Amino acid sequence: MLVMLGVIAPMFFVIVIGYLAGFTRRFSGHEPSIQGVLNSFLFYFALPSFLYTAVVEAPPTAGFPGVSVLIAGFIPVALAVAVFYACRLLGQKSWAGAGPVSLSATFGNVGYFGIPITISVLGPEAGLAAGILHMVHNLIFMSGYPVVRTAVNSAQADDGAARPGGFAHLWRTRLWPIVRRAILLNPVVLAMTVALVVVFTPLQMPDLVEESLGLLGQIAVPLALFCVGLAMHPAIAGLRSGGVPKRAVGLGTAVKVLALPALTYLAVLPLAGQLGPIWGGTLILMAAMPSSTTVFVFTREYDGDARMAASILVATTVAALVTLPLIAEFMLV
């Protein structure tokens, strides 16, 4: 445990540095702020470059087990549905926040947090697996939740009245732009697509481009962790505003840091020979990541109240300091 804690703790310390920086005038304030600029640079340049470099430079692994995509896609979605309806059993206030709870309990910080931790624990050969599973995870949640909530909110706004044009009009005007932005115009997806072409075909990028992307990619990990620390401020502000049912927070936190990695482990166990230690280990570590900061943004935009997501985000990030080293140590025994 102490060895794994030594690997992971410096990353948490960078988060702490980002959180402390958020108290200064330079790194706080209303949007547009330096936080928005840093996140934009990270999302559009540094993180895609890091992913490309990590995937392309990863030592070759024994093939691509397609079952890993099924595990990474099915288990979080099935668990999100289960958590959503479980909130009904926790009272009216929890049921009202079922959407944010289910998203927070299953949408992990697999990019900013998951990829660097996975590579640190399993080695550079995990780069390809981490990149592909990150892309699958984000495609499902970054398009799925906005589409579902937009459709639900639209139906509730209509209050049973027939919308002109029906679903076709809704898809064309509101849902398709979300899917297009989340998938076709997503810089991370584009970077991963180019990386997979380079890995699995004879095509290669010019050395000048490779070296430039490598330089940009070196910024991604520390900047991503620093931005997570900055994001703790609006999350904690939302938490302090009160009105969040503790049982729902406990449910979302327990599912994210315990149930999701445990179920993923149970799914990986009978397929260990097919997956191998790299793909199997990457699946489990990715499942063990704390909630994504994107959850806070999504629930504020689509649910109108980010306090529940903020509470689970803070709780899972703190809990992960204990659970991640334990899970990593358990896998390497």
Side-chain angles (χ1 to χ4, degrees), residues 205-232:
M205 297 286 280
D207 290 341
L208 176 61
V209 175
E210 294 272 1
E211 293 174 6
S212 299
L213 292 177
L215 288 173
L216 280 172
Q218 292 176 16
I219 307 170
V221 174
L223 180 58
L225 298 174
F226 185 85
C227 287
V228 171
L230 288 178
M232 289 293 105

Side-chain angles (χ1 to χ4, degrees), residues 190-321:
L190 295 175
M192 277 297 305
T193 302
V194 174
L196 294 176
V197 170
V198 171
V199 169
F200 292 110
T201 71
L203 297 177
Q204 296 294 318
M205 297 286 280
D207 290 341
L208 176 61
V209 175
E210 294 272 1
E211 293 174 6
S212 299
L213 292 177
L215 288 173
L216 280 172
Q218 292 176 16
I219 307 170
V221 174
L223 180 58
L225 298 174
F226 185 85
C227 287
V228 171
L230 288 178
M232 289 293 105
H233 283 273
I236 291 175
L239 175 61
R240 286 175 175 169
S241 63
V244 178
K246 294 180 180 178
R247 288 184 295 178
V249 174
L251 173 64
T253 302
V255 169
K256 187 69 206 72
V257 299
L258 297 176
L260 182 55
L263 289 175
T264 304
Y265 170 76
L266 292 176
V268 166
L269 196 58
L271 301 170
Q274 182 178 350
L275 290 168
I278 297 300
W279 285 91
T282 301
L283 278 165
I284 297 168
L285 281 174
M286 287 292 197
M289 292 301 124
S291 294
S292 172
T293 53
T294 306
V295 175
F296 179 81
V297 177
F298 275 3
T299 54
R300 182 172 55 185
E301 179 176 355
Y302 295 103
D303 297 280
D305 188 348
R307 292 176 296 173
M308 183 74 75
S311 301
I312 299 175
L313 170 62
V314 173
T316 55
T317 301
V318 174
L321 183 58

